[in-house]
Amino acid sequence: MIPSMAEMMTQVGSAIAGLMVAYAMFQNYFPYELRGPIRRYSQKLINFFYPYIQISFPEYHGDGFARSNAFTAIERYLNANSTTQAKRLKANVVRDSEAIVLTMANHEEVTDEYQGIKLRWASSETTPNRQSISFYPREDEKRYFRLTFHRKHRDVITTNYLKHVLNEGKAITVKERRRKLYTNNKSEGYGYRRSMWSHVLFEHPATFDTLAMDPDKKLDIINDLLNFSKSKDYYAKIGKAWKRGYLLYGPPGTGKSTMIAAMANLLKYDIYDVELTAVKDNTELRKLLIDTSSKSIVVIEDIDCSLDLTGQREKKKDKKEEENDKKKDDEKDAVKEKMKKMEENKTSQVTLSGLLNFIDGLWSACAGERIIVFTTNYVEKLDPALIRRGRMDKHIELAYCGFEAFKVLAKNYLDVDWHDLFGTIKRLLEETKMTPADVAENLMPKLGGEDGETCLMRLIKALEEAKEEARVKAEEEEKQKAEKLANEEEENKKEKEKQNENLANGVKENGEVNEAKTENLENGVKENGEVNTQNLENGVKENGVATK
């Protein structure tokens, strides 16, 4: 006869009660010395028939008070599976993260699959049996993740899967973190904290989609950056530090700083903006580099103005070359002249050698996955050793606004893909020079009711004015050049006339001297003749007298 449900429940309850009584008697009356061996051998017996392996990942390790990096990475990795499988979730906003992290609550379990292998992750915690209150959460409860898998997959799990989980978890953490913009503090301001960097949240909206430049050039830069970010193994293979240098150069207002922001947003990197004038010496510069994190862009803007590092290897030039260089650099040296006036207050002792070691020395390999960016308005002023390939691997010129760059700006500012005025603007952009910053300023609506055509007309007017100013300036320069050339010719003519006059005076003076010398010579000969004749006559006379 089949027993009823009530009878079955009664039997199960009786069995459970019997087991509880037996366990209580075991705890109270069984010798403590025998419990350990029995538990050990019982566990071996269970393991012999139980084919699964378990690995635990505690939230805290040993006596440390910092969370385990492995636990944090696993928590972020399981975030996706937890939200779709677990019925009870815990929500938390992690420090420096933009996303809400959802993790499975205690005693929940989710599954994962790797190369066809089924795995189970469970979240648990252990609570100590004590009545005291601890100030440290890790002593109140010990959370951990437990991974369960079949023992025949031990090698795959321990060798590949765990590495995959940690890498994916770290990548998710980096992707969802709140990125920062750092700047170095003055050495005098470290105090007891020795904080070398200060930071704010990096929230610059620039992207390559909104960057005004030639599309082909833009695509080349994007591909280069993405290829670098995925080339960890390749750089290790060729024995090179995982870093890359970019030199951005061009006139002011061509978008060098915007380019850096777009690079950071593309790769999800932090930015470290180094102010060289606030760095005491080469040693401090090296410490700043060590204190930067991976997945970052180290920037030195306007490096030709930051420190006088460009003239340390200048070659000797003849007088004519110096005059030509001086003529070309009259406008460019305005900032440098100002820096020379401040030389007395200068405290930085960073040298060119220290900067070279900073970007390409042994210490530059620390942290890994780092981009170094220099910007300058005058690339010809920089020392060749500073910008050679291997240090600044890719040189990017950001020039004046072309028609393709204008179309990007028109789309960004006016949401216009094409207009009848585009042809006129294209012609004017080819005939005159205007930076993307100036073009953008003219395209930006100044009043709420301005439409796209009004802004385009304003740009055309600005381009025509710039063209006229350039023409007038060119004429003035040509006029000044002609006047200078005429003055030089006049000076040369006067100098030549003066030389001829001096030469004529010299010849005349030499003629008079020669005539005087000739006259003196004739007088001398005449005198000598008279003296000799007189002496001869006297001698003959004396001889005659003597003969007689």
Side-chain angles (χ1 to χ4, degrees):
M1 183 177 66
I2 300 176
S4 63
M5 182 62 68
E7 292 176 348
M8 291 179 61
M9 293 298 296
T10 303
Q11 293 175 2
V12 170
S14 299
I16 293 175
L19 290 174
M20 292 179 65
V21 171
Y23 182 74
M25 293 180 64
F26 174 81
Q27 291 286 344
N28 293 328
Y29 300 107
F30 201 81
Y32 181 81
E33 292 77 7
L34 299 178
R35 294 180 189 177
I38 290 177
R39 288 175 179 173
R40 185 166 60 254
Y41 288 109
S42 299
Q43 189 63 43
K44 287 185 178 181
L45 181 63
I46 294 173
N47 292 339
F48 182 77
F49 294 100
Y50 188 71
Y52 293 96
I53 296 175
Q54 295 181 345
I55 302 177
S56 297
F57 299 88
E59 186 175 9
Y60 297 93
H61 279 300
D63 296 331
F65 297 104
R67 296 184 76 195
S68 167
N69 293 331
F71 184 90
T72 303
I74 293 170
E75 185 178 47
R76 304 306 293 272
Y77 174 79
L78 295 176
N79 187 12
N81 289 339
S82 299
T83 55
T84 57
Q85 298 181 27
K87 295 182 179 180
R88 294 182 299 115
L89 299 171
K90 295 171 66 176
N92 187 24
V93 178
V94 182
R95 181 183 177 184
D96 295 334
S97 175
E98 296 178 345
I100 297 178
V101 180
L102 297 175
T103 58
M104 52 185 170
N106 293 331
H107 311 297
E108 282 284 331
E109 186 175 285
V110 297
T111 60
D112 191 20
E113 184 174 347
Y114 179 74
Q115 296 181 359
I117 302 173
K118 299 288 185 180
L119 308 103
R120 299 197 307 272
W121 285 96
S123 175
S124 302
E125 68 176 1
T126 57
T127 304
N129 295 324
R130 54 184 177 78
Q131 301 298 324
S132 61
I133 299 176
S134 172
F135 291 101
Y136 303 103
R138 71 178 188 87
E139 296 184 4
D140 290 335
E141 56 183 22
K142 296 182 179 180
R143 298 177 58 211
Y144 62 90
F145 288 117
R146 185 177 64 249
L147 172 64
T148 304
F149 57 92
H150 199 281
R151 60 189 175 191
K152 67 181 179 180
H153 303 304
R154 177 195 290 267
D155 292 339
V156 177
I157 300 302
T158 56
T159 305
N160 299 326
Y161 176 70
L162 292 180
K163 183 179 180 180
H164 164 75
V165 170
L166 295 179
N167 290 338
E168 287 295 318
K170 291 177 181 178
I172 294 172
T173 301
V174 171
K175 184 178 179 180
E176 295 180 350
R177 81 189 191 282
R178 304 182 72 178
R179 291 176 297 116
K180 298 174 181 177
L181 173 61
Y182 294 85
T183 185
N184 54 303
N185 297 321
K186 274 200 167 186
S187 56
E188 293 84 357
Y190 293 160
Y192 71 95
R193 294 181 299 113
R194 299 298 300 171
S195 176
M196 305 193 75
W197 296 98
S198 297
H199 69 269
V200 295
L201 293 180
F202 179 71
E203 298 175 337
H204 201 293
T207 64
F208 277 95
D209 292 333
T210 61
L211 196 62
M213 66 183 307
D214 182 79
D216 294 335
K217 192 172 184 179
K218 186 188 301 184
L219 182 61
D220 176 65
I221 297 171
I222 292 174
N223 291 336
D224 190 82
L225 289 168
L226 294 177
N227 181 64
F228 165 78
S229 66
K230 300 174 183 176
S231 301
K232 179 180 181 180
D233 295 335
Y234 177 77
Y235 275 81
K237 175 185 174 183
I238 63 177
K240 194 175 180 182
W242 192 14
K243 64 180 182 62
R244 189 160 177 80
Y246 289 82
L247 175 66
L248 309 182
Y249 65 95
T254 51
K256 294 183 286 294
S257 298
T258 305
M259 167 71 77
I260 296 171
M263 294 167 68
N265 286 329
L266 175 69
L267 299 177
K268 306 298 181 184
Y269 283 5
D270 293 325
I271 295 180
Y272 289 85
D273 186 10
V274 181
E275 177 55 53
L276 285 180
T277 56
V279 182
K280 184 178 179 181
D281 50 28
N282 295 337
T283 301
E284 186 174 305
L285 185 63
R286 190 180 301 119
K287 291 179 180 178
L288 285 172
L289 179 66
I290 296 172
D291 208 29
T292 60
S293 63
S294 177
K295 295 185 180 295
S296 61
I297 300 177
V298 180
V299 179
I300 301 180
E301 292 194 277
D302 296 322
I303 190 169
D304 54 310
C305 300
S306 296
L307 287 176
D308 189 14
L309 301 171
T310 58
Q312 298 184 16
R313 300 189 183 187
E314 291 181 349
K315 298 179 180 179
K316 292 184 178 179
K317 303 178 181 179
D318 57 30
K319 186 176 181 181
K320 187 174 181 181
E321 289 180 348
E322 290 178 356
E323 290 177 355
N324 292 335
D325 291 344
K326 186 177 181 181
K327 189 188 305 179
K328 294 179 181 178
D329 295 340
D330 284 341
E331 296 181 359
K332 298 179 183 179
D333 288 341
V335 177
K336 204 168 182 179
E337 290 297 328
K338 185 177 180 181
M339 290 180 62
K340 287 181 179 179
K341 294 179 182 178
M342 301 170 62
E343 191 72 20
E344 295 180 359
N345 298 326
K346 177 180 173 182
T347 58
S348 178
Q349 297 179 5
V350 176
T351 63
L352 178 61
S353 174
L355 188 58
L356 295 180
N357 290 328
F358 172 79
I359 60 177
D360 195 34
L362 294 174
W363 293 95
S364 66
C366 64
E369 194 172 1
R370 181 188 292 112
I371 289 175
I372 300 175
V373 178
F374 289 168
T375 72
T376 179
N377 296 333
Y378 309 110
V379 66
E380 65 276 6
K381 285 179 170 286
L382 299 181
D383 192 292
L386 190 63
I387 59 176
R388 67 162 176 80
R389 308 295 177 174
R391 290 187 174 122
M392 294 292 105
D393 304 283
K394 192 172 183 65
H395 296 189
I396 302 174
E397 181 181 8
L398 299 174
Y400 290 102
C401 186
F403 183 64
E404 294 297 330
F406 158 75
K407 290 196 295 185
V408 175
L409 293 173
K411 179 64 176 176
N412 293 342
Y413 285 82
L414 304 176
D415 200 20
V416 174
D417 293 316
W418 182 257
H419 195 276
D420 294 338
L421 296 174
F422 275 24
T424 304
I425 294 174
K426 180 179 181 181
R427 176 179 57 81
L428 290 171
L429 286 174
E430 291 173 352
E431 295 174 352
T432 187
K433 295 179 179 180
M434 182 174 283
T435 65
D438 292 332
V439 173
E441 179 61 26
N442 285 285
L443 289 177
M444 183 178 294
K446 301 298 188 293
L447 300 173
E450 284 188 340
D451 57 3
E453 184 172 351
T454 303
C455 297
L456 292 174
M457 289 298 298
R458 181 168 57 241
L459 175 61
I460 291 175
K461 182 179 178 182
L463 286 169
E464 290 175 343
E465 291 176 354
K467 180 181 177 181
E468 180 64 20
E469 290 177 1
R471 185 189 65 80
V472 173
K473 185 177 180 181
E475 290 179 354
E476 291 180 354
E477 290 179 353
E478 189 66 26
K479 184 178 178 181
Q480 292 176 0
K481 185 177 180 182
E483 290 177 355
K484 188 173 182 180
L485 185 61
N487 293 334
E488 290 179 355
E489 291 179 354
E490 184 68 23
E491 290 178 0
N492 292 335
K493 186 178 180 181
K494 290 181 179 180
E495 184 70 22
K496 191 173 181 180
E497 290 177 353
K498 186 176 180 180
Q499 291 178 358
N500 292 335
E501 183 180 352
N502 293 336
L503 182 62
N505 294 334
V507 171
K508 185 176 179 181
E509 291 175 357
N510 291 334
E512 293 177 354
V513 171
N514 291 334
E515 290 177 359
K517 288 182 177 178
T518 303
E519 184 179 355
N520 294 333
L521 182 61
E522 291 176 352
N523 294 333
V525 171
K526 186 177 180 181
E527 292 175 358
N528 291 333
E530 293 177 354
V531 172
N532 292 333
T533 302
Q534 184 179 358
N535 292 334
L536 182 60
E537 292 177 352
N538 294 332
V540 171
K541 187 176 181 181
E542 291 175 358
N543 290 331
V545 174
T547 302
K548 289 179 180 181

